[in-house]
Amino acid sequence: MPTPARTSLTAIVAAGRSILAQDGLDELTMQRVAEATGVRAPSLYKRVPGRAALVRLVAADAVAEVGRCLDAVATSGDPVSELRGQAEELRRFARADPHAFGLVFAPPTEGRVVDPSLLAAAAAPVVRVVAELVGPEQALNAARTVTAWASGFLRMELAGAFQLGGDVDAAFDYGISLLVDALGRHVR
Amino acid sequence: MPTPARTSLTAIVAAGRSILAQDGLDELTMQRVAEATGVRAPSLYKRVPGRAALVRLVAADAVAEVGRCLDAVATSGDPVSELRGQAEELRRFARADPHAFGLVFAPPTEGRVVDPSLLAAAAAPVVRVVAELVGPEQALNAARTVTAWASGFLRMELAGAFQLGGDVDAAFDYGISLLVDALGRHVR
DNA sequence: ACCTGAACACCGTTCAAGT
DNA sequence: ACCTGAACACCGTTCAAGT
C-alpha cells in the first residue's frame, strides 16, 4: 500500500546547506540531515544515492546561488564598476557562508564536483561583464583570470593564509584594481 | 622496561603524504598510516594527537616543499621571468600532487590550517621576486594578488571547473602575462 | 511506495595489559 | 617507554520487514 512521502529532495538539500553553513562539512552527516528532515537515515537513500552525492547536490545549490547573486549585482551598465561589484559580492557570499564557498571548487578527487552546466551558468554573468570590458575574443581568458584571482583570494582569506601582516581589505582592493585597470587597457 | 621506538613522526608524516598522493584525503586514515609505518593504529597516538593533527602535519610538509620549489626556481636574476617560472613551478607541483595541493589552502573550519610561519616561509620567495618588480611598499599586495590568482587558477583547473571550452594553457598564459605586465607598469 | 529497526563494515580514539 | 588487543562511539550503507 502506498505511503505519502514524508520528505523531498529539495528539503534534504536545504537541510544539508543549513547544517553545512552552521557546523561545517564534517557535520553534514546522513543522520543529521535525516533528523533535520524528520526522517530516519536509511530513508534518505530513496532520494539520494549516498552522502557523496548529497554533498555534490549541496555544492551545486551553493553554486547556483552564487550565480544568481553575480547576475543580480551587475546592473549599473558600467562594466568596470559591475566587475568590482561582482568581486565584492563574491566576497560577501564567502564570508556569509564560508563552508559552502569552500565546497564550490573542491577537487574532483574528493568526489565533489559540480555539474559543468551549473558552473557555466554561475560564471556566465562574469563572462558577460568582462566581455563588455575586453571584447568577445578575450572574454573567456579574462573572466578566468578574474575568477581565479577572486576565488583564490577569498579561499586564502578564509583559510587565514594572509599571515604576513598588512591590510587584507587593501590587498583585495589592490588586486581588483590591478585587474580592472589591466583589462581596461586591453581594449582596442 | 623501555622499548625501542618502532616508528617516528617523520616516518608517519612521510607515509601520510604518500597515501594522500596516491589515494586522496579520504584514504588518509590512521589505520592505513599505521600499516604503512609497520605499527598498529593506537601507537600513532604516541606521536600525533589525532587524525586532524596528522592531516595538518601532512599539509605543512607539502607547504614546505612548495616553498623550497618556489625558491629554487627563482635564480635567473630577471624578476619577470622568475615570476613566470614560479607560476609554472606551482602548476607543476599541483599537477604532480593534486591532493597535497588541495590541502594547502583548506579552510580552517575543516580543521586543517598550516602553521603561519610555514606559510610565510613558502610565500617568501614570491614576495622577494615581486619586490624586485614593484618595490618594497607594494610587494605584499602584489604578491598576494599573484598568489591568489595562481592558487585559484590551479584549484579550478584541478577541480575541472573550466568547462566553457577554450584553451586552458592559453588562459594560464593570459593570466600570468596580464599580471606581470600590470605589475611591471606599476614601477616608478 | 515509502519508512524503519537491525545489522554490517569501517573508522577514530581510549585504555588496561603486556614487554 | 612503547606497543597492542579489546572495547566504545559513531558513521555510511544495506535490507528484510512493516504500513
Side-chain angles (χ1 to χ4, degrees), chain A residues 140-150 179 183, chain B residues 149 153 171 174-176 178-179:
Chain A
L140 195 54
N141 281 339
R144 281 169 174 168
T145 301
V146 175
T147 307
W149 167 78
L179 286 170
L183 292 177
Chain B
W149 166 78
F153 189 99
Y174 179 94
I176 187 65
L178 190 85
L179 286 170

Side-chain angles (χ1 to χ4, degrees), chain B:
Chain B
M1 191 112 48
T3 302
R6 235 166 285 181
T7 185
S8 67
L9 183 58
T10 57
I12 289 170
V13 173
R17 275 212 61 185
S18 168
I19 293 166
L20 176 70
Q22 291 201 293
D23 298 316
L25 186 59
D26 290 346
E27 287 296 311
L28 180 50
T29 67
M30 298 301 270
Q31 319 218 5
R32 284 209 51 184
V33 171
E35 186 189 12
T37 53
V39 97
R40 299 288 180 174
S43 298
L44 298 177
Y45 291 79
K46 284 283 161 182
R47 330 264 175 204
V48 162
R51 181 181 183 263
L54 175 55
V55 171
R56 244 177 280 128
L57 286 170
V58 169
D61 188 72
V63 168
E65 186 188 335
V66 167
R68 285 192 302 272
C69 291
L70 293 179
D71 194 50
V73 88
T75 55
S76 76
D78 171 38
V80 169
S81 67
E82 280 181 1
L83 194 57
R84 286 191 95 97
Q86 285 179 325
E88 279 155 20
E89 178 65 10
L90 190 64
R91 197 176 190 209
R92 188 201 57 73
F93 178 89
R95 288 169 156 182
D97 198 345
H99 291 112
F101 181 81
L103 220 51
V104 170
F105 290 133
T109 43
E110 311 298 339
R112 298 158 208 144
V113 216
V114 185
D115 187 69
S117 66
L118 276 177
L119 277 177
V126 177
V127 177
R128 171 168 57 78
V129 169
V130 167
E132 293 179 49
L133 209 53
V134 302
E137 297 122 37
Q138 291 299 344
L140 195 53
N141 282 338
R144 282 169 172 169
T145 301
V146 175
T147 307
W149 166 78
S151 67
F153 189 99
L154 295 174
R155 174 167 285 266
M156 291 177 72
E157 184 178 11
L158 292 179
F162 293 133
Q163 297 282 358
L164 290 171
D167 184 344
V168 175
D169 289 335
F172 188 83
D173 197 64
Y174 179 94
I176 187 65
S177 296
L178 190 85
L179 286 170
V180 165
D181 287 359
L183 293 176
R185 220 186 324 263
H186 204 276
V187 194
R188 9 166 172 250

Side-chain angles (χ1 to χ4, degrees), chain A residues 155-172:
Chain A
R155 175 167 284 266
M156 291 176 72
E157 183 178 14
L158 291 179
F162 294 133
Q163 297 283 358
L164 290 170
D167 184 344
V168 176
D169 289 334
F172 189 82

Side-chain angles (χ1 to χ4, degrees), chain A residues 6-183:
Chain A
R6 236 165 284 180
T7 185
S8 66
L9 183 59
T10 56
I12 290 170
V13 173
R17 274 211 63 184
S18 168
I19 293 166
L20 175 71
Q22 291 202 294
D23 298 316
L25 186 58
D26 290 347
E27 287 296 310
L28 179 50
T29 68
M30 298 301 271
Q31 321 219 3
R32 285 209 50 186
V33 171
E35 186 189 12
T37 53
V39 97
R40 299 289 181 176
S43 299
L44 299 177
Y45 291 80
K46 285 282 163 183
R47 329 264 176 207
V48 162
R51 182 181 185 265
L54 175 55
V55 171
R56 245 176 280 127
L57 286 170
V58 168
D61 188 71
V63 168
E65 186 187 336
V66 168
R68 284 192 302 271
C69 292
L70 293 180
D71 194 48
V73 88
T75 55
S76 76
D78 171 36
V80 168
S81 68
E82 281 181 0
L83 194 56
R84 286 191 96 98
Q86 286 180 325
E88 279 155 21
E89 178 64 11
L90 190 64
R91 198 177 190 207
R92 190 200 56 74
F93 179 89
R95 287 170 157 180
D97 198 346
H99 292 112
F101 182 82
L103 220 50
V104 171
F105 291 134
T109 43
E110 311 298 339
R112 296 160 212 143
V113 217
V114 185
D115 186 69
S117 66
L118 275 178
L119 277 176
V126 177
V127 177
R128 170 167 59 79
V129 170
V130 168
E132 293 180 50
L133 208 55
V134 302
E137 297 121 39
Q138 292 299 343
L140 195 54
N141 281 339
R144 281 169 174 168
T145 301
V146 175
T147 307
W149 167 78
S151 68
F153 190 99
L154 294 174
R155 175 167 284 266
M156 291 176 72
E157 183 178 14
L158 291 179
F162 294 133
Q163 297 283 358
L164 290 170
D167 184 344
V168 176
D169 289 334
F172 189 82
D173 197 65
Y174 179 95
I176 188 63
S177 297
L178 191 85
L179 286 170
V180 165
D181 288 358
L183 292 177

